[in-house]
Amino acid sequence: MTDQPTTVTTVAEGVARIAWLPGEPVDVVRREVAQALTRHARVEALVDPADDDGQRTATWAGMRREGVMRGVTVDGSPVDRIVYARLATDVPTDQPEGFRALLNSFLPRKRAIGQMLIRDQDARVLLCQLTYKRDWDLPGGVVEVGESPQVAVAREVEEELGLRLPAGPLLLTDWLPPWSGWDDALCLVFDGGAHDASLTDRVVKQVREIRSAAFCTLEEADELCADFTARRVRAAVANLDGGPAYTESGRG
């Protein structure tokens, strides 16, 4: 990280930045962090994403991973750096809550998407034409941090369509691989039940996201949806009586 011995530098009011030599013992860095926190509210380190040892040292010195700063200027060139930090108010890592928070900061996190399979009496599926892409999709959206996927999908349906429908049993878990700038995600499809076709008359569109909503046959879904979405719709319908199932991009 630096060609100087371990250093602690004040970079803003109440904020110190620590840097250390490759191979520096974790105990030394941990001690320097603790000492710096007696004079600062925050101690941070900027670690090269390619520096696995540096990342381990930062973690086991008690600093939580906060994210990646892109395009930081180092020696005149823009580079990326992982930000690690510890606050004076953080729970000590020798206590269970503090240790769990440390692990939680760097363990992988998976985006979750909740969708609802809503049908009419003719077994057609409610699809939405979205404002931000050409393909149609099932109603739903991204699950917020700390939110139940089942609660999330009912919330999204109410926000986007003005329909208050309880989310029933889970029909399908569909893993979506990384695609076009998106990280991978899990899509959870819940049963929204069967309703009269007049349900669409009650739709109040969220105009920023929804152009229209309509009940469609599976054949129409094949035409209107992206191929992976059409496969997901068919897999969810096929599993209405079979309990939860798992697919990857709609494929079993």
Side-chain angles (χ1 to χ4, degrees):
M1 297 177 59
T2 175
D3 57 3
Q4 299 295 322
T6 300
T7 59
V8 177
T9 306
T10 299
V11 294
E13 184 177 353
V15 180
R17 185 168 296 161
I18 186 169
W20 58 87
L21 286 169
E24 186 82 341
V26 171
D27 287 346
V28 172
V29 179
R30 185 185 299 117
R31 183 181 65 243
E32 293 292 337
V33 169
Q35 290 178 352
L37 285 173
T38 64
R39 308 183 302 274
H40 301 83
R42 170 187 172 90
V43 177
E44 64 184 26
L46 305 183
V47 183
D48 188 334
D51 183 2
D52 293 337
D53 288 339
Q55 294 176 52
R56 281 191 289 270
T57 297
T59 298
W60 299 123
M63 289 185 283
R64 301 182 192 178
R65 177 174 171 140
E66 293 185 338
V68 177
M69 290 178 63
R70 300 182 299 146
V72 180
T73 300
V74 176
D75 296 329
S77 299
V79 296
D80 294 347
R81 289 293 182 261
I82 302 174
V83 181
Y84 288 85
R86 183 157 189 83
L87 306 184
T89 54
D90 285 343
V91 178
T93 56
D94 60 359
Q95 297 182 23
E97 181 183 350
F99 185 65
R100 287 193 295 267
L102 181 68
L103 294 180
N104 187 65
S105 75
F106 69 85
L107 288 175
R109 300 183 183 185
K110 190 76 68 178
R111 180 178 293 114
I113 300 168
Q115 292 189 326
M116 189 178 288
L117 186 74
I118 303 168
R119 294 155 287 124
D120 69 3
Q121 301 297 339
D122 295 323
R124 295 182 301 174
V125 174
L126 186 66
L127 295 176
C128 296
Q129 184 183 25
L130 305 175
T131 59
Y132 50 87
K133 63 180 181 179
R134 289 180 297 177
D135 303 320
W136 291 51
D137 210 339
L138 291 170
V142 174
V143 180
E144 300 291 344
V145 175
E147 184 180 36
S148 152
Q150 196 167 33
V151 168
V153 70
R155 171 185 57 75
E156 286 283 349
V157 169
E158 182 173 3
E159 289 176 357
E160 294 183 351
L161 301 176
L163 299 175
R164 301 190 67 179
L165 300 176
L170 178 67
L171 297 175
L172 182 70
T173 300
D174 186 30
W175 177 71
L176 308 178
W179 176 79
S180 189
W182 286 102
D183 290 338
D184 69 323
L186 289 174
C187 184
L188 308 174
V189 183
F190 293 90
D191 188 2
H195 305 265
D196 190 271
S198 62
L199 180 72
T200 54
D201 296 336
R202 292 163 40 200
V203 166
V204 179
K205 297 176 295 183
Q206 185 183 60
V207 294
R208 288 178 300 150
E209 296 192 26
I210 306 296
R211 285 198 178 97
S212 62
F215 282 110
C216 302
T217 65
L218 295 182
E219 291 73 23
E220 289 170 332
D222 291 340
E223 294 294 326
L224 295 171
C225 299
D227 56 356
F228 54 88
T229 301
R231 290 193 298 268
R232 185 187 315 130
V233 171
R234 285 184 173 272
V237 169
N239 209 54
L240 277 166
D241 298 319
Y246 174 77
T247 56
E248 294 189 354
S249 194
R251 296 186 177 95

